[in-house]
Amino acid sequence: AKNFCKKVAIPWPTRAESTDLVPCTGPFPDGLGPLTVRNTRLQTGDILALGLNKERDGTLLLSRSALQRSPALRSMEAWLDRLGAWTRSPRASGGYGQSLELKVSPSHVVNLPAATCTALGLPLDDEVHFAWVYPVPFHQRAVEAALAAVSKPDAGFVSAWEPDLSRGLPVKARKEMVDFSDVTHGKTDVEVTPGLAYSLSPDEISKLIPGGSWLDELDLEDADVSLLTVGGYIYFRPGLGLVERSPSKGRRSKMPLMGAARPVVLDILCARSIRFAPSGVLQFSAPRRWHQVWTERLVQQGRFQPITARKWLMAGARYICWLRPDEPLPDFNGREHPLARHGGFVFLFHNLDENDHDSRDCYFQLVPTPDLARGGRSSGIVDGERLSSSLPFSLAVTLPASQDRQQEKIFQLARRGRWSLVRHLLAEFPYFATATGDHGATLLHVCAERGMLDAELLTQLKDLGARYDALDEKGRTPEALGKAAFKALARSVWQVSPDLFADPEGWFQFWDRNHNGLLEPEELGDALSSTYRCDAIGTQWVKSYVNINHRKGISRAELIGAGGLLQALQVSEEFTSLREQKRPPLFLGSRRSTLSQETHVQIQKLEARVERLRNEHGWVTGKPAPRDAMPLPLPEPSPEGSADPEVRIRYARGILGFSFEQTRGLPGRSWQTGFRVDFAGQEGLDDGGLTKAWVNEIASALWGDGALFDTKPQGSFFKPDDVETLELDGVPVNSAELYRWTGRFVAYTLYQRCLLDCRLCAWVFRMLQRAAAERSKRPAWQLVPDWPATPEGEDAMLDDLASLDHTVASNLWRVRHELGEDDLRWLDFTCTGEELRPGGAEETVTEDSKAIYVRLFCEHVLRKRSQIGLQAFLDGFFEVLPAGLLAGVPEEAVLSLLAGHSEVSDQQLKELEDLVVPNGLVPTKLKDHPLVRQAAGWLFRTAREGSGAFRARLLEFWLGVNRIPLAGVGSIRPRPRLQIMVQPAGADGLKRISSWPKDRLPEGHTCGNEFWMALPDSFEEASGRIRLAVENFEAGFALR
């Protein structure tokens, strides 16, 4: 086909990273948060904004009068007096007064989903802007104030306000004025810079602060104090700010707020401080690498501010910056790309004039849709009783009295089982790991008494110096106070037991407490969860694994022998992940398990049945469509491919609309007779390539965005039953009718032996197989629950839910196995706003009812919410492929056939090379020429030396799909061809085609499964051009 399915390289890659954001709650700097917020007392009139804009940091001037509203703020005012932190600035009502300068990030409109905004208490019916307010850099100001007091004892604290808000030149002090030798490490001339404060310890900074102990009077539990000392968010209405001229004029005028050269009153909705909370709604992604080129950009803009929070400082962080939503930053080629869709925090672990030599600089993206079941009911704004479920951030300078209060608090939290909050305080005060409380007990003693089974916390205690053999006043060790499960976990963390893989016999003997030569289920569960250092959730996961797979326990031979548990653990992805992450995933994300030989045999039987059905209707593999196949004229595909995804989907939707209208009324037998695809403006007959292209376009149209299907973590799923109409290419269609057509289309794809990027979640195909089995029993089949009310049935039910949404399945596992009464009381019998049973909105989940809550929730999500769409899809599929064809086939076998092999192996590349060389070489007259054979060999050598990702891209470039069919390379149709662009010259020679010089990049023509390449002079030349073309093409039609 002319210019059809052509793939060529573009100068630079344009693919953007598209990793789904999921919350990461590990300790900083491996995670950040979760955070919750608390309202402050600030209001409109308290703050003047200067230079507030969307590109650079601005400045807020907080009126001194705002610090008169509470005792905590008045203590803060005295603290700021000692630091000389006040600035002389205009009053809102005229004249001049004292204000506090606060740096603020570039502002941006709130772009979070409605549910997250609701959790944060933000209005949905009004445009709201926000910015991050940086704290007063108190430890730097403390050094400045102390040294300034020595060098200029008569100087006042209040400076004249200037338009550029300059604070003047650095202050210097000399040793002879006062003895700072124990603080400045013997230096006689000290320049006050941010780096100086970071070079001093908290105790050294405390010595420089006038008055010393008054720091203890600060109430960090107070939201206003926390905002000024740690930071927080400010939400305001955009547009025109208010300026009050003077009381005599009796009126207020308006001026532009953004970029204003004069101070204007900020129209505040709310100002909020942050707190650490295990169930906080502000959740962040795992840390991502921050590059030096971005640091240089933001340093030039003055965006980085000193960190004051002790937790972050203790981890080595020095500067922080709020990255505004969709902030563009340059790549290494100077092109701008948005980095964080909803904003995030950047942390630098060095001074601003230094480079990131240790590659520790990172940023955390705000997760737009947080895990709202994490740690119980999500915490948006904390007040009242929820205050006890969160903690404020401590400051870098913490005096002994405050440290004593924090030590009492950490023991109280441990006795109440608030382990996430315990970890938070340990990060701020690591020496609490070895501190003793009442009766000489350490934190490890309290963990033992509480039966704490969190390997992560125990490892943190161990790393901070906690002793496993520490004695309390009664001479008891933590092990003596703990139960068997705690002992097992603690022994493993402190490496008391033998290593399973280094000494399996010793490990077996160690855990065989009954000495009966059998690890019974309870022993095996304790042993495995201890070996893999599981937390409480992981322990439940392991015990479930043991109860399902080793209900009778295992003997030494069953552990160590051939094919035993030890070998299974070494190849198990779940247990490998468990060991590496120290926290096992309850249910994994999208991942297809390796197919067993028995499963392969069953799938081959299914393929043979489908092939017989095809033959009955005149279809022969490798031959054009039969004469009685229905012509299917379609509009031309996108000329730009996926270089512009919106254009691609728009063209694909047009193809889907034409296809739907022409085939919606056809019975299943007509689909078996099949279609001859004909795209407008394209030359050629459909010998399988055009059908393959049609299948890919329809897949893009159906699942390219969320317009026709809902997007779930495990793939696409049907819209809820109350969505009765969808819009297809501008035309309203009945949703059930479209889903029935989709079932026919998926069946037809399988019928035509096409690979399909089918994004429907695995749950659909599990139901497909179960529906086929049920139809063989009774014709009047309908969706009915089939999970027995047993532990095994519960496991199967959650596993089914995980094939649709593994995050929800994991959360429900936590509800079933981890959450206690204190956390359950925040849940009711509803799901997505619908009652799971009559009166559910008023019914609280309890310890006794959580099992039925989990079951009802699963049934609602899997069966009831989208029952009409699921039923219509299944009916449509069976109209084309009878249910009997799926008899005896494993679940998800259809999905496996559609998806093909997940990886391209060396053996498959060898089979592809044998298929192409020599019979697939073009020109056929030159297929045996040494130079042609050599060029072909260089292509496959490049493929073998490439990574798995490169091999998949090569197949997509060549064949239009990035996978090999389950039936193997030999089933690919049309048969792949490799064309070396040469022509005969002389008796035995050849020459390059003039339009294909050696520096021309290869091209892929996927409708004919053809790979075109110029004749290279060397392997290096061939490999370099193949890689450049394959790694930089864009999928789709006719890309240039």
Side-chain angles (χ1 to χ4, degrees):
K2 182 180 179 181
N3 290 330
F4 193 62
C5 304
K6 180 180 179 182
K7 303 187 186 299
V8 297
I10 58 175
W12 296 101
T14 60
R15 293 190 168 202
E17 182 180 7
S18 58
T19 306
D20 291 336
L21 293 180
V22 295
C24 175
T25 58
F28 184 83
D30 297 323
L32 180 66
L35 303 178
T36 188
V37 294
R38 192 178 180 199
N39 284 325
T40 67
R41 299 177 179 87
L42 298 185
Q43 57 194 26
T44 299
D46 291 339
I47 292 179
L48 295 178
L50 183 71
L52 192 63
N53 61 61
K54 299 179 180 179
E55 302 296 335
R56 304 178 65 88
D57 281 358
T59 299
L60 302 181
L61 300 177
L62 175 62
S63 171
R64 182 165 187 161
S65 61
L67 275 70
Q68 303 296 317
R69 294 200 178 103
S70 71
L73 283 174
R74 286 192 289 273
S75 296
M76 184 77 187
E77 181 184 27
W79 179 66
L80 294 171
D81 281 339
R82 289 175 172 85
L83 295 184
W86 300 105
T87 292
R88 190 163 174 261
S89 64
R91 296 180 183 273
S93 57
Y96 284 81
Q98 293 183 5
S99 297
L100 179 65
E101 292 180 11
L102 296 174
K103 287 292 184 181
V104 64
S105 73
S107 62
H108 195 278
V109 65
V110 174
N111 64 348
L112 293 171
T116 308
C117 290
T118 301
L120 289 170
L122 299 177
L124 302 177
D125 56 349
D126 195 5
E127 181 179 353
V128 177
H129 285 225
F130 79 107
W132 170 258
V133 180
Y134 293 99
V136 179
F138 71 93
H139 47 328
Q140 172 64 16
R141 291 281 179 85
V143 175
E144 288 182 10
L147 297 179
V150 174
S151 61
K152 299 179 181 180
D154 297 327
F157 284 121
V158 179
S159 62
W161 177 79
E162 300 172 14
D164 63 354
L165 302 177
S166 172
R167 295 195 60 81
L169 297 174
V171 180
K172 292 188 175 181
R174 296 187 177 277
K175 181 181 178 182
E176 57 264 29
M177 297 178 183
V178 65
D179 186 11
F180 284 123
S181 59
D182 60 336
V183 173
T184 60
H185 308 291
K187 296 180 181 179
T188 59
D189 193 17
V190 181
E191 183 177 1
V192 180
T193 65
L196 172 63
Y198 291 135
S199 68
L200 305 179
S201 71
D203 290 338
E204 290 170 337
I205 296 175
S206 300
K207 294 178 182 178
L208 294 176
I209 300 176
S213 61
W214 58 265
L215 258 178
D216 256 348
E217 299 172 8
L218 285 183
D219 180 12
L220 295 181
E221 286 283 352
D222 184 84
D224 300 86
V225 172
S226 180
L227 175 70
L228 298 178
T229 56
V230 176
Y233 293 95
I234 188 167
Y235 299 86
F236 57 94
R237 293 183 177 89
L240 296 178
L242 303 175
V243 178
E244 294 191 13
R245 299 294 188 186
S246 68
S248 62
K249 294 188 178 182
R251 63 183 180 86
R252 299 197 301 178
S253 62
K254 293 188 175 182
M255 66 182 298
L257 175 60
M258 298 303 173
R262 301 184 52 195
V264 294
V265 178
L266 200 61
D267 188 9
I268 299 174
L269 289 175
C270 55
R272 292 167 173 172
S273 62
I274 61 170
R275 295 169 66 91
F276 172 82
S279 57
V281 75
L282 295 179
Q283 298 173 13
F284 297 83
S285 70
R288 300 188 176 191
R289 180 80 173 88
W290 179 261
H291 297 288
Q292 183 66 29
V293 64
W294 302 339
T295 299
E296 293 169 0
R297 160 79 68 87
L298 298 188
V299 167
Q300 290 176 357
Q301 297 177 0
R303 294 280 298 281
F304 286 99
Q305 301 298 325
I307 290 174
T308 59
R310 183 183 184 94
K311 181 176 183 179
W312 298 335
L313 285 170
M314 292 297 293
R318 291 295 176 256
Y319 286 88
I320 188 173
C321 171
W322 172 257
L323 202 63
R324 77 174 186 272
D326 285 331
E327 179 157 0
L329 288 172
D331 61 17
F332 293 107
N333 298 314
R335 292 176 296 182
E336 302 279 335
H337 301 281
L339 190 62
R341 179 69 183 91
H342 301 278
F345 285 108
V346 182
F347 290 88
L348 301 186
F349 290 78
H350 52 83
N351 287 333
L352 297 182
D353 58 352
E354 299 173 342
N355 290 328
D356 182 22
H357 297 296
D358 297 327
S359 299
R360 297 189 65 193
D361 292 352
C362 61
Y363 70 101
F364 300 83
Q365 292 194 54
L366 183 65
V367 176
T369 308
D371 181 355
L372 297 181
R374 183 180 300 278
R377 193 174 205 177
S378 66
S379 179
I381 307 174
V382 293
D383 285 298
E385 63 183 86
R386 290 195 185 180
L387 211 56
S388 62
S389 299
S390 63
L391 286 175
F393 287 82
S394 298
L395 301 183
V397 180
T398 307
L399 298 181
S402 175
Q403 294 176 21
D404 292 342
R405 290 195 296 271
Q406 297 290 1
Q407 182 173 317
E408 293 176 5
K409 179 178 290 186
I410 198 172
F411 276 94
Q412 291 173 0
L413 292 170
R415 292 189 178 94
R416 292 165 57 192
R418 300 288 188 177
W419 305 119
S420 295
L421 302 183
V422 169
R423 281 195 291 269
H424 176 75
L425 282 180
L426 274 177
E428 294 181 339
F429 303 94
Y431 43 86
F432 285 175
T434 56
T436 56
D438 295 340
H439 310 295
T442 65
L443 279 176
L444 191 57
H445 284 89
V446 179
C447 291
E449 291 177 326
R450 289 281 305 177
M452 192 274 296
L453 299 177
D454 189 333
E456 186 181 67
L457 178 54
L458 288 181
T459 301
Q460 184 181 9
L461 287 170
K462 176 180 178 291
D463 293 341
L464 295 177
R467 295 188 55 180
Y468 185 68
D469 57 351
L471 301 176
D472 62 11
E473 289 180 353
K474 295 183 179 181
R476 297 173 298 181
T477 64
E479 181 173 348
L481 299 176
K483 295 182 180 179
F486 173 83
K487 293 178 183 178
L489 182 58
R491 287 174 187 171
S492 176
V493 171
W494 268 264
Q495 299 179 346
V496 177
S497 67
D499 182 82
L500 168 61
F501 299 97
D503 183 14
E505 292 200 14
W507 183 86
F508 185 96
Q509 185 175 357
F510 179 86
W511 291 104
D512 183 15
R513 306 185 188 112
N514 297 330
H515 305 290
N516 58 357
L518 183 72
L519 288 186
E520 296 175 353
E522 183 179 357
E523 295 173 327
L524 182 57
D526 291 342
L528 290 177
S529 58
S530 172
T531 297
Y532 285 90
R533 300 187 177 186
C534 300
D535 58 9
I537 298 176
T539 299
Q540 288 292 345
W541 186 92
V542 170
K543 289 184 176 180
S544 177
Y545 171 88
V546 169
N547 288 333
I548 293 173
N549 298 283
H550 303 285
R551 187 171 295 276
K552 296 181 180 180
I554 62 170
S555 64
R556 181 181 277 99
E558 291 170 325
L559 171 69
I560 304 173
L565 176 60
L566 187 61
Q567 291 186 5
L569 293 177
Q570 290 173 328
V571 300
S572 167
E573 293 185 17
E574 288 82 358
F575 277 91
T576 299
S577 175
L578 190 73
R579 162 166 284 192
E580 293 174 352
Q581 300 176 8
K582 299 181 181 179
R583 176 184 293 271
L586 298 179
F587 297 101
L588 301 178
S590 300
R591 180 180 60 87
R592 288 189 293 132
S593 58
T594 303
L595 300 178
S596 65
Q597 184 60 36
E598 180 182 356
T599 300
H600 265 294
V601 171
Q602 295 297 330
I603 290 178
Q604 288 173 356
K605 291 181 179 178
L606 172 59
E607 285 189 300
R609 295 170 192 160
V610 173
E611 187 62 25
R612 285 196 294 270
L613 183 62
R614 282 167 45 85
N615 294 340
E616 292 174 6
H617 292 84
W619 289 92
V620 178
T621 301
K623 299 292 181 67
R627 284 183 293 179
D628 55 350
M630 171 183 167
L632 187 59
L634 297 170
E636 63 178 349
S638 165
E640 297 298 332
S642 62
D644 187 342
E646 292 184 1
V647 172
R648 172 79 190 278
I649 290 181
R650 185 169 68 249
Y651 273 81
R653 286 269 161 76
I655 295 172
L656 172 60
F658 271 79
S659 303
F660 179 74
E661 283 301 320
Q662 293 182 78
T663 61
R664 64 194 299 180
L666 297 179
R669 184 171 181 82
S670 296
W671 285 75
Q672 293 170 350
T673 303
F675 311 110
R676 290 197 306 274
V677 176
D678 180 16
F679 286 101
Q682 304 294 335
E683 301 174 6
L685 297 175
D686 186 8
D687 59 354
L690 296 180
T691 295
K692 177 179 64 176
W694 176 66
V695 163
N696 287 334
E697 288 300 294
I698 297 298
S700 177
L702 288 172
W703 304 302
D705 56 20
L708 303 179
F709 287 79
D710 279 345
T711 301
K712 302 292 184 181
Q714 297 305 101
S716 297
F717 197 57
F718 309 100
K719 296 285 186 182
D721 289 347
D722 56 4
V723 179
E724 297 180 356
T725 303
L726 298 170
E727 186 173 293
L728 178 57
D729 197 26
V731 178
V733 298
N734 180 267
S735 59
E737 188 174 358
L738 177 63
Y739 292 148
R740 182 184 294 271
W741 187 92
T742 303
R744 296 171 186 153
F745 164 74
V746 171
Y748 185 73
T749 301
L750 181 65
Y751 180 75
Q752 292 293 2
R753 303 170 66 99
C754 292
L755 291 181
L756 172 66
D757 184 16
C758 182
R759 301 174 197 175
L760 285 173
C761 60
W763 167 240
V764 175
F765 294 93
R766 292 188 181 190
M767 280 302 306
L768 183 69
Q769 181 60 35
R770 295 176 196 178
E774 289 293 328
R775 288 198 175 203
S776 64
K777 299 177 183 177
R778 52 182 180 272
W781 177 84
Q782 59 182 354
L783 296 174
V784 293
D786 59 356
W787 302 295
T790 62
E792 294 79 7
E794 248 185 30
D795 290 335
M797 177 176 62
L798 288 174
D799 184 54
D800 282 341
L801 181 59
S803 68
L804 173 65
D805 192 328
H806 67 280
T807 302
V808 174
S810 296
N811 291 340
L812 288 177
W813 178 284
R814 298 186 188 110
V815 170
R816 184 68 180 93
H817 296 288
E818 181 190 20
L819 300 188
E821 290 284 1
D822 289 344
D823 298 310
L824 291 174
R825 63 193 179 94
W826 299 107
L827 301 176
D828 54 36
F829 277 77
T830 61
C831 174
T832 60
E834 299 182 44
E835 291 187 335
L836 298 177
R837 60 184 181 185
E842 305 299 326
E843 182 181 357
T844 300
V845 178
T846 65
E847 187 72 28
D848 294 333
S849 64
K850 64 181 182 181
I852 188 62
Y853 166 77
V854 169
R855 176 171 290 274
L856 292 175
F857 200 108
C858 288
E859 291 179 353
H860 179 81
V861 173
L862 291 174
R863 295 274 174 79
K864 296 181 179 179
R865 188 165 183 264
S866 303
Q867 179 175 356
I868 295 175
L870 180 57
Q871 183 75 63
F873 174 87
L874 299 177
D875 290 341
F877 186 95
F878 292 131
E879 289 174 9
V880 178
L881 292 181
L885 290 179
L886 304 183
V889 176
E891 288 189 350
E892 302 182 29
V894 171
L895 181 58
S896 297
L897 271 176
L898 292 172
H901 288 282
S902 57
E903 297 180 354
V904 184
S905 66
D906 290 341
Q907 179 61 33
Q908 289 169 338
L909 284 178
K910 180 63 168 59
E911 293 173 1
L912 180 59
E913 185 174 12
D914 292 341
L915 185 67
V916 171
V917 180
N919 295 327
L921 290 177
V922 181
T924 55
K925 293 182 179 180
L926 298 174
K927 67 180 182 180
D928 294 321
H929 195 283
L931 293 181
V932 172
R933 289 290 190 95
Q934 180 178 257
W938 287 343
L939 168 63
F940 286 99
R941 177 182 168 187
T942 301
R944 284 190 293 272
E945 293 180 357
S947 65
F950 175 78
R951 294 179 180 189
R953 290 276 289 173
L954 175 62
L955 288 186
E956 188 176 0
F957 185 85
W958 189 344
L959 309 176
V961 290
N962 58 8
R963 306 174 299 280
I964 297 291
L966 283 183
V969 171
S971 65
I972 298 176
R973 294 294 184 275
R975 289 192 177 277
R977 292 196 297 175
L978 170 60
Q979 181 157 347
I980 310 300
M981 307 305 287
V982 294
Q983 60 188 17
D988 297 317
L990 55 74
K991 65 178 182 179
R992 294 186 179 93
I993 297 175
S994 59
S995 60
W996 275 81
K998 67 176 183 178
D999 59 351
R1000 180 168 174 174
L1001 294 179
E1003 296 180 2
H1005 295 261
T1006 57
C1007 279
N1009 291 339
E1010 297 178 5
F1011 190 101
W1012 295 2
M1013 63 181 289
L1015 181 68
D1017 290 335
S1018 67
F1019 169 72
E1020 290 72 20
E1021 178 184 295
S1023 179
R1025 299 208 168 275
I1026 291 169
R1027 287 184 176 278
L1028 185 59
V1030 168
E1031 291 173 351
N1032 292 284
F1033 81 89
E1034 289 297 335
F1037 290 99
L1039 297 181
R1040 293 175 174 81

